[in-house]
Amino acid sequence: MSDSENDNSDERTAGDKHVPLHERRRPWWHWQRLTGSRPRLAVTMGVIGVVAGALLGGAGVAWQAEAGPFADDRACWGAFGRDDAAALFEGKTGGKADVKSSEVPITSDRTGAEGSSGQCLLTSDGSRITVQAHQLDTRFGGAGDQWADEFLSARLTPLGGGLLGMASDTRAWLAVPDGCIGRPRDADVNGGPTVIDVATGWTIYDDEVGTEARDRLARAVVRLVNHYMTEKGCTGTIADPTGRMPEPPRFLDERKDAMCGVKGLPVPRGYGRDSLGRTLVTRGAGPVRTCDRRVLFHHPELRLMTVEDPRLAMLYERLSRDGAKDPVKAGDQDGYGFVRDDMGMFQAECQTGPVTFLIRADSGRRSADIRTLLPRFVAAEADRIGCGPLHITVPAKG
């Protein structure tokens, strides 16, 4: 599949139904993983079918040389062979890593309304790699906001070439092209995209992103998506993106009048540089531009994010309308937004579709700064991406 073709391509309880979204969502630092998977029984025939059914049911499979009947088995729904899996851990092909796999097959609910979901877990000598296939939840930022916090962080680099995906040395994701088939139904044009993502564990924000590890994960998600599409009957494939990816992000030396490199956006008092003050900004044109400041244990003290791709911006559409009691004022056709103590957001209606501008803090202690920054951030970023002029007014805190 060419890059241009790619372009065409709860946990709710009953008591949640009448609770506003912003009150029932978990804090953004609560990272409970949501897989949404539904295991199903594998109906098989013959000895080979029985073995395959056991593997898909979650039995561990050890890949080693001369490993008997499992020597030629493949992992993660058949996408990875033994060498592929070992290379993810050892960083080279032909590795001898003892890799075990357990997985839940990719399935859909009967109506197809919730999209496909599945999970694969690879382990080797105490290390773990988690692979998930799932449709992103449009209620807030992918999956209760956990997915966006991890997979839209500033450490990730866009895959480029029109692909809706990103990669770093610890995480990577890629959306299945809509045409084959990234949405559960043709009528579900407002649903979130189906993505396959890979996570290798802890992220050390003090380190720069390793290019070789990043490229391995980028190739891995492309392989996974290509295999998914083949299983769906698609004939095209996505090419290796690593030759066209930008360089990994580098830590930014901010100026006082250019927070996150945004000219005219002043750095508020208390957000100056210190031992944890290094700022990381996404490099390269892509679906998202994220600035993470003062990251500690995965969590930035402040995140400024522009979600440019309409397929991702729709993840914030509902929240932009009912996320808080203080709505942002704008022109009749400009969009919707809100401010609250820990967040400011505006979803603009641009020529290319919806675009989300977001500022998030790790606590509510900086509400005045968010109210000051949001209008300037929206105006500057709208001009950068060709969506301006865009002027919003934030209500005074009551």
Side-chain angles (χ1 to χ4, degrees):
M1 176 171 290
S2 69
D3 296 334
S4 61
E5 288 175 318
N6 179 66
D7 287 337
N8 295 323
S9 29
D10 229 317
E11 260 183 58
R12 286 191 190 179
T13 63
D16 285 335
K17 293 181 179 179
H18 302 293
V19 180
L21 176 60
H22 69 285
E23 293 182 6
R24 67 174 180 259
R25 76 176 188 89
R26 294 185 179 92
W28 74 292
W29 55 86
H30 188 139
W31 294 32
Q32 178 178 350
R33 295 189 174 277
L34 305 175
T35 61
S37 300
R38 290 179 172 83
R40 64 180 180 183
L41 296 177
V43 181
T44 59
M45 298 180 63
V47 175
I48 295 177
V50 171
V51 172
L55 298 181
L56 291 178
V61 182
W63 278 310
Q64 303 179 60
E66 305 301 325
F70 300 113
D72 295 326
D73 269 311
R74 302 180 68 82
C76 296
W77 317 296
F80 294 145
R82 182 178 58 198
D83 287 352
D84 302 322
L88 287 176
F89 289 94
E90 296 187 345
K92 56 186 177 182
T93 58
K96 301 299 183 183
D98 178 7
V99 182
K100 296 183 179 180
S101 168
S102 59
E103 60 192 58
V104 176
I106 300 177
T107 60
S108 300
D109 65 293
R110 288 185 177 182
T111 65
E114 296 184 8
S116 299
S117 64
Q119 187 177 53
C120 173
L121 182 64
L122 302 174
T123 58
S124 178
D125 194 24
S127 298
R128 180 173 68 181
I129 296 174
T130 304
V131 181
Q132 290 194 97
H134 54 126
Q135 184 184 13
L136 297 183
D137 190 338
T138 59
R139 285 169 297 185
F140 180 44
D145 83 351
Q146 169 265 333
W147 187 86
D149 280 338
E150 286 193 58
F151 290 93
L152 300 183
S153 84
R155 284 182 64 88
L156 280 81
T157 303
L159 297 182
L163 296 176
L164 180 56
M166 305 176 78
S168 74
D169 50 4
T170 60
R171 284 167 179 78
W173 64 276
L174 176 61
V176 179
D178 286 352
C180 200
I181 51 178
R183 312 257 177 155
R185 297 171 299 172
D186 291 340
D188 192 19
V189 294
N190 293 319
T194 295
V195 304
I196 298 182
D197 54 55
V198 179
T200 66
W202 190 257
T203 300
I204 306 299
Y205 268 83
D206 286 342
D207 293 342
E208 294 184 345
V209 175
T211 304
E212 291 185 5
R214 181 202 68 174
D215 290 353
R216 284 198 301 273
L217 293 184
R219 295 188 188 101
V221 291
V222 168
R223 180 187 292 268
L224 287 159
V225 169
N226 280 335
H227 183 78
Y228 175 92
M229 292 193 299
T230 298
E231 292 294 301
K232 294 290 187 180
C234 305
T235 57
T237 59
I238 298 171
D240 184 339
T242 56
R244 60 172 176 256
M245 292 178 66
E247 289 296 314
R250 294 291 182 262
F251 292 102
L252 180 69
D253 289 329
E254 289 179 307
R255 300 194 307 269
K256 291 183 178 181
D257 63 343
M259 186 178 192
C260 293
V262 180
K263 188 176 181 180
L265 193 66
V267 178
R269 290 187 60 183
Y271 281 117
R273 296 182 60 190
D274 56 23
S275 60
L276 298 175
R278 298 207 293 174
T279 299
L280 200 63
V281 180
T282 308
R283 177 178 290 188
V288 178
R289 182 187 187 274
T290 301
C291 171
D292 286 334
R293 306 188 78 258
R294 302 181 69 174
V295 178
L296 181 63
F297 301 119
H298 275 300
H299 310 300
E301 183 181 55
L302 192 70
R303 168 173 287 184
L304 285 70
M305 185 165 68
T306 302
V307 186
E308 301 180 37
D309 193 293
R311 292 167 291 180
L312 285 182
M314 68 175 57
L315 303 182
Y316 297 92
E317 195 274 339
R318 296 188 192 182
L319 185 63
S320 68
R321 296 175 182 265
D322 59 15
K325 64 180 181 180
D326 293 333
V328 166
K329 296 181 180 179
D332 291 341
Q333 305 298 320
D334 288 342
Y336 302 87
F338 68 86
V339 288
R340 65 186 191 210
D341 289 350
D342 66 336
M343 182 189 299
M345 176 191 294
F346 187 77
Q347 178 126 29
E349 296 298 332
C350 299
Q351 297 90 331
T352 57
V355 174
T356 301
F357 305 95
L358 175 67
I359 300 179
R360 301 189 67 175
D362 64 352
S363 73
R365 300 190 305 268
R366 293 283 187 171
S367 60
D369 292 333
I370 291 177
R371 291 169 181 267
T372 299
L373 289 171
L374 185 62
R376 298 181 182 184
F377 177 66
V378 170
E381 283 291 274
D383 285 344
R384 178 182 68 84
I385 65 177
C387 186
L390 190 57
H391 303 290
I392 66 172
T393 303
V394 176
K397 187 174 181 180

